[in-house]
């Protein structure tokens, strides 16, 4: 067994869904018999915050390792006009050529949802061309990324790109605390970021009123249930606060709890355990859906961004509701009556994907 000194560039602070994904991915990497991974984590948000840069120092850092893993995460978005690659991986191609270390792009999202100019798409094509020439490992996740490649970038690139389910389906998530075990509840996650896209077809004011209407109607028919609102990032707290402000006082005092807003490596276990304890999960963020479905919880995707609808399309599931429509509260009540548990056949798919990684590593690091 060869030990690989590995640098992992991804989000580790700020979004618990990414932590769940890394947990599931690391668990599968440990099953490989040819390699042992000694992983140092590098927070990608430090590049967004201008504390680090994709410059010569980054190249030198990467070249001091045996392997660079980038992702999982939504880092092949196509709207970053200031980036030489059109994506969050904002590295000049000439600098990329100086990286000698093999790069594994793990289960990235290809996201045109916030825009994708032809100039940016061409930069992304140039980026992919160089990665293919370098024989790096490129993979995309099951959130519509494959469709986005075909529609925007070119189907020919799929000959060089692997498609995989997100490893968040396989995260190790514990049982909930005694507080949640003693309750019967729906867990609800609503994303508040990207407001110009999410609330393009419905005003935010009407969106909040629609959720109040749904909660009132649901609790009126299900007197023994409570509501647990689950934030994943700090922006989600704005929705929660706005919703609490318009709920009836008795409802918010007797029927509503707020999950903690946590961060860091183990934070996902505490928060995702709340989904595990729920009777039903209503989820707006990608990993809120992925992890809940992976645990076998009855889950309804709340769609006001393409990524969630594409996830359910790839799962061949109708368990989603478009919450960008004015009457979504009634549609959500109807969907609850017909919800079923997704029967997933994805265990073998991820296992095969990790074997492909192993074969690539053998070629790059052992031969």
């Amino acid at each position: 067994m060869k030990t690989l000194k590995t640098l992992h560039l991804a989000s580790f602070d700020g979004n618990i869904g990414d932590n769940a994904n890394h947990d599931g991915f690391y668990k599968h990497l440990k099953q490989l018999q040819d390699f042992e991974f000694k992983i140092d984590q590098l927070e990608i948000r430090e590049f967004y915050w201008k504390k680090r840069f994709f410059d010569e120092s980054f190249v030198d850092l990467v070249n001091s390792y045996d392997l660079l893993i980038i992702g999982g995460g939504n880092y092949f978005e196509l709207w970053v006009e200031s980036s030489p690659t059109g994506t969050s991986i904002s590295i000049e191609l000439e600098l990329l050529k100086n990286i000698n270390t093999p790069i594994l792009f793990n289960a990235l999202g290809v996201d045109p949802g916030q825009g994708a100019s032809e100039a940016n798409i061409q930069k992304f094509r140039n980026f992919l061309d160089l990665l293919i020439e370098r024989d790096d490992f490129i993979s995309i996740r099951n959130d519509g990324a494959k469709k986005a490649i075909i529609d925007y970038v070119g189907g020919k690139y799929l000959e060089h790109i692997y498609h995989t389910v997100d490893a968040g389906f396989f995260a190790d998530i514990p049982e909930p605390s005694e507080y949640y075990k003693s309750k019967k509840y729906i867990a609800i996650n609503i994303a508040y970021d990207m407001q110009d896209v999410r609330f393009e077809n419905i005003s935010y004011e009407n969106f909040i009123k629609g959720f109040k209407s749904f909660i009132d109607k649901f609790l009126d028919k299900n007197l023994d249930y409570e509501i647990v609102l689950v934030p994943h990032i700090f922006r989600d707290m704005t929705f929660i606060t706005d919703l609490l402000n318009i709920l009836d006082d008795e409802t918010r005092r007797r029927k509503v709890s707020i999950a903690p807003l946590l961060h860091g490596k183990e934070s996902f276990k505490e928060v995702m355990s709340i989904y595990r304890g729920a009777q039903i999960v209503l989820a707006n963020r990608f990993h809120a859906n992925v992890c809940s479905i992976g645990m076998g919880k009855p889950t309804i995707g709340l769609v006001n961004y393409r990524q969630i609808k594409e996830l359910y399309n790839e799962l061949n599931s109708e368990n989603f509701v478009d919450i960008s429509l004015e009457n979504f509260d009634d549609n959500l009540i109807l969907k609850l009556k017909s919800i079923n548990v997704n029967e997933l056949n994805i265990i073998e798919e991820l296992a095969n994907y990790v074997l492909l990684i192993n074969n690539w590593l053998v070629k790059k690091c052992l031969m």
Side-chain angles (χ1 to χ4, degrees):
M1 177 180 288
K2 180 173 181 177
T3 299
L4 293 181
K5 184 183 176 185
T6 302
L7 182 65
H8 187 184
L9 175 65
S11 170
F12 304 99
D13 280 298
N15 191 328
I16 58 169
D18 291 314
N19 298 109
N21 170 51
H22 304 326
D23 181 79
F25 183 56
Y26 288 169
K27 180 169 66 174
H28 280 75
L29 284 184
K30 290 177 182 177
Q31 297 174 6
L32 298 184
Q33 297 182 354
D34 293 319
F35 300 97
E36 179 184 10
F37 299 86
K38 298 294 186 182
I39 299 176
D40 292 330
Q41 295 178 339
L42 178 60
E43 174 59 55
I44 196 169
R45 282 186 170 81
E46 292 190 4
F47 293 83
Y48 306 160
W49 298 331
K50 305 301 182 185
K51 297 180 70 173
R52 292 180 181 266
F53 301 91
F54 290 104
D55 55 14
E56 290 86 352
S57 65
F58 175 74
V59 173
D60 291 340
L61 176 64
V62 173
N63 283 337
S64 69
Y65 284 83
D66 301 313
L67 175 67
L68 171 64
I69 299 175
I70 298 179
N74 199 27
Y75 306 140
F76 280 172
E77 67 273 66
L78 301 175
W79 61 267
V80 190
E81 298 286 347
S82 60
S83 169
T85 67
T87 75
S88 293
I89 315 302
S90 184
I91 186 169
E92 296 287 349
L93 298 191
E94 289 304 313
L95 283 176
L96 179 58
K97 292 177 183 178
N98 293 331
I99 293 179
N100 302 318
T101 300
I103 306 175
L104 191 166
F105 292 86
N106 175 47
L108 300 190
V110 183
D111 189 359
Q114 297 184 70
S117 68
E118 182 54 41
N120 243 33
I121 291 170
Q122 186 56 53
K123 287 190 289 185
F124 183 54
R125 291 189 189 111
N126 295 340
F127 182 38
L128 288 178
D129 289 340
L130 180 54
L131 298 180
I132 293 167
E133 180 183 331
R134 286 172 41 88
D135 192 27
D136 289 322
F137 192 99
I138 313 166
S139 67
I140 54 178
R141 67 190 185 186
N142 61 331
D143 64 347
K146 186 175 181 179
K147 183 175 184 293
I149 290 285
I150 294 171
D151 291 347
Y152 290 86
V153 185
K156 66 177 183 178
Y157 283 98
L158 292 177
E159 298 174 13
H160 308 280
I161 297 174
Y162 300 97
H163 180 262
T164 182
V165 296
D166 189 273
F169 284 108
F170 304 94
D172 285 327
I173 297 169
E175 292 293 325
S177 69
E178 291 301 321
Y179 175 84
Y180 291 102
K181 282 184 179 180
S182 66
K183 295 181 179 296
K184 187 176 183 180
Y185 63 92
I186 287 185
I188 302 178
N189 160 259
I190 296 293
Y192 184 73
D193 57 345
M194 298 188 295
Q195 297 171 50
D196 55 334
V197 178
R198 296 186 187 278
F199 307 118
E200 182 179 13
N201 299 319
I202 184 174
S203 70
Y204 179 63
E205 180 181 2
N206 286 344
F207 178 76
I208 291 289
K209 290 178 179 178
F211 249 96
K212 177 185 184 302
S213 174
F214 161 72
I215 288 173
D216 289 343
K217 291 174 183 177
F218 176 80
L219 292 178
D220 184 57
K221 299 294 185 181
N222 300 274
L223 298 178
D224 56 339
Y225 269 80
E226 296 186 20
I227 304 294
V228 179
L229 301 172
V230 186
H232 279 217
I233 69 171
F234 73 94
R235 288 189 180 92
D236 300 348
M237 294 300 299
T238 300
F239 164 79
I240 291 172
T241 301
D242 292 343
L243 178 62
L244 288 174
N245 279 331
I246 66 169
L247 287 176
D248 297 336
D249 194 49
E250 183 178 359
T251 298
R252 63 192 171 202
R253 290 181 182 272
R254 287 184 162 176
K255 289 292 187 176
V256 179
S257 298
I258 314 300
L261 177 64
L262 303 177
H263 67 90
K265 183 178 179 181
E266 298 296 316
S267 59
F268 79 94
K269 294 183 178 181
E270 180 76 19
V271 178
M272 295 295 182
S273 73
I274 296 170
Y275 295 133
R276 179 179 284 280
Q279 276 62 51
I280 303 168
V281 176
L282 309 183
N284 194 204
R285 289 196 176 277
F286 180 70
H287 283 109
N289 284 274
V290 163
C291 294
S292 299
I293 293 170
M295 289 185 285
K297 305 305 298 184
T299 304
I300 296 176
L302 303 179
V303 175
N304 58 4
Y305 193 64
R306 63 174 295 280
Q307 182 188 56
I308 304 305
K309 185 175 182 179
E310 296 296 345
L311 168 66
Y312 280 84
N313 286 341
E314 293 202 26
L315 294 174
N316 296 313
S317 171
E318 296 293 326
N319 286 349
F320 63 88
V321 171
D322 189 340
I323 56 173
S324 69
L325 303 176
E326 293 289 345
N327 61 340
F328 77 82
D329 53 328
D330 290 328
N331 293 338
L332 197 46
I333 292 291
L334 289 173
K335 181 61 68 174
L336 282 171
K337 296 178 181 179
S338 62
I339 188 174
N340 55 74
V341 177
N342 283 282
E343 294 185 4
L344 298 178
N345 185 24
I346 59 175
I347 296 176
E348 185 176 348
E349 185 174 343
L350 188 61
N352 289 338
Y353 166 70
V354 177
L355 284 177
L356 290 172
I357 292 175
N358 184 78
N359 294 339
W360 173 76
L361 286 172
V362 168
K363 180 175 64 174
K364 302 292 285 188
C365 300
L366 291 184
M367 297 179 64

